[in-house]
């Protein structure tokens, strides 16, 4: 659970989670404040967590900062990036030649992972070339840029504002 993460992870792991999954600018300070607060009395509620890092919340952007912190915790608890990686590998194995992969992402970490996988065949974006210098990847991008929601869609569904659709076609072996 998020409580387990906040109350038991070493400071270095908390820092890594906030930096990697939440893209929190001062992840080291956030992790340090959480460790200090949990050593004093433990963190059992979201209010406790908010209070623990309250001293570094940016004025007029508290909500955005806290959203990044909670996003990082959610991604860690749910193993979201690992699950996405397994899904992409499974899609590459499952689709027949010419099959279509369509993925909607909702934040930059997911989008980067999907974009890298389509481009290079792995989530890290490391190009693996054959003996002729050709990048071996299971997919070919159908759309060069992601498809974004239109204004009217965002107006009727605000959650759509961050959505990006990437489409790829399975290559032949």
């Amino acid at each position: 659970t998020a409580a387990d993460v906040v109350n038991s992870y070493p400071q270095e792991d908390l820092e890594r989670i906030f930096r990697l999954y939440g893209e929190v600018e001062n992840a080291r300070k956030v992790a340090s404040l959480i460790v200090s607060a949990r050593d004093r009395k433990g963190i059992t509620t979201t209010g406790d967590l908010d209070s623990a890092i309250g001293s570094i919340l940016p004025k007029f952007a508290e909500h955005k900062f806290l959203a990044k912190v909670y996003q990082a915790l959610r991604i860690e608890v749910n193993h979201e990036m690992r699950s996405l990686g397994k899904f992409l590998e499974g899609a590459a194995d499952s689709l027949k030649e010419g099959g279509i992969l369509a993925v909607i992402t909702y934040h930059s970490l997911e989008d980067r992972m999907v974009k890298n996988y389509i481009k290079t065949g792995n989530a890290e974006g490391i190009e693996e070339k054959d003996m002729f210098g050709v990048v071996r990847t299971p997919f070919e991008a159908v759309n060069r840029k992601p498809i974004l929601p239109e204004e009217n869609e965002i107006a009727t569904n605000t959650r759509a504002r961050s959505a990006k659709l990437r489409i790829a076609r399975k290559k032949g072996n």
Side-chain angles (χ1 to χ4, degrees):
T1 66
D4 296 332
V5 172
V6 169
N7 285 296
S8 66
Y9 275 33
Q11 182 172 329
E12 298 78 27
D13 288 345
L14 288 172
E15 179 183 343
R16 176 188 53 79
I17 290 165
F18 294 131
R19 180 171 289 118
L20 184 63
Y21 297 153
E23 298 178 326
V24 175
E25 298 81 18
N26 49 352
R28 177 172 288 150
K29 184 66 176 169
V30 172
S32 173
L33 289 171
I34 289 172
V35 169
S36 294
R38 77 180 187 202
D39 288 346
R40 283 193 305 275
K41 69 170 193 141
I43 297 173
T44 58
T45 67
T46 56
D48 292 342
L49 181 57
D50 294 353
S51 294
I53 61 175
S55 65
I56 60 166
L57 293 177
K59 298 288 185 238
F60 309 110
E62 299 97 344
H63 181 72
K64 284 188 175 188
F65 188 88
L66 288 171
K68 289 179 177 184
V69 169
Y70 285 103
Q71 171 183 295
L73 291 171
R74 186 197 76 229
I75 290 171
E76 174 68 11
V77 168
N78 295 333
H79 308 289
E80 292 177 20
M81 302 313 287
R82 184 174 42 186
S83 296
L84 178 58
K86 286 182 179 182
F87 163 76
L88 292 170
E89 290 171 8
D93 293 339
S94 300
L95 287 172
K96 293 180 182 177
E97 181 178 342
I100 298 292
L101 171 70
V103 181
I104 298 174
T105 61
Y106 290 94
H107 57 78
S108 60
L109 296 173
E110 291 172 340
D111 190 58
R112 188 176 313 124
M113 191 172 186
V114 171
K115 179 176 72 174
N116 284 341
Y117 198 87
I118 291 171
K119 183 178 177 184
T120 65
N122 61 68
E124 295 78 29
I126 300 167
E127 292 183 341
E128 295 178 16
K129 298 179 181 180
D130 64 14
M131 60 191 248
F132 301 106
V134 177
V135 177
R136 295 184 300 162
T137 174
F139 292 104
E140 176 183 16
V142 171
N143 54 330
R144 195 167 124 67
K145 298 274 187 184
I147 298 170
L148 304 175
E150 295 178 356
E151 293 298 322
N152 62 344
E153 184 176 3
I154 295 171
T156 59
N157 178 10
T158 57
R159 292 184 204 166
R161 74 182 178 279
S162 59
K164 293 181 179 179
L165 172 62
R166 292 197 182 266
I167 304 171
R169 180 173 286 111
K170 174 82 182 264
K171 291 181 180 177
N173 293 344

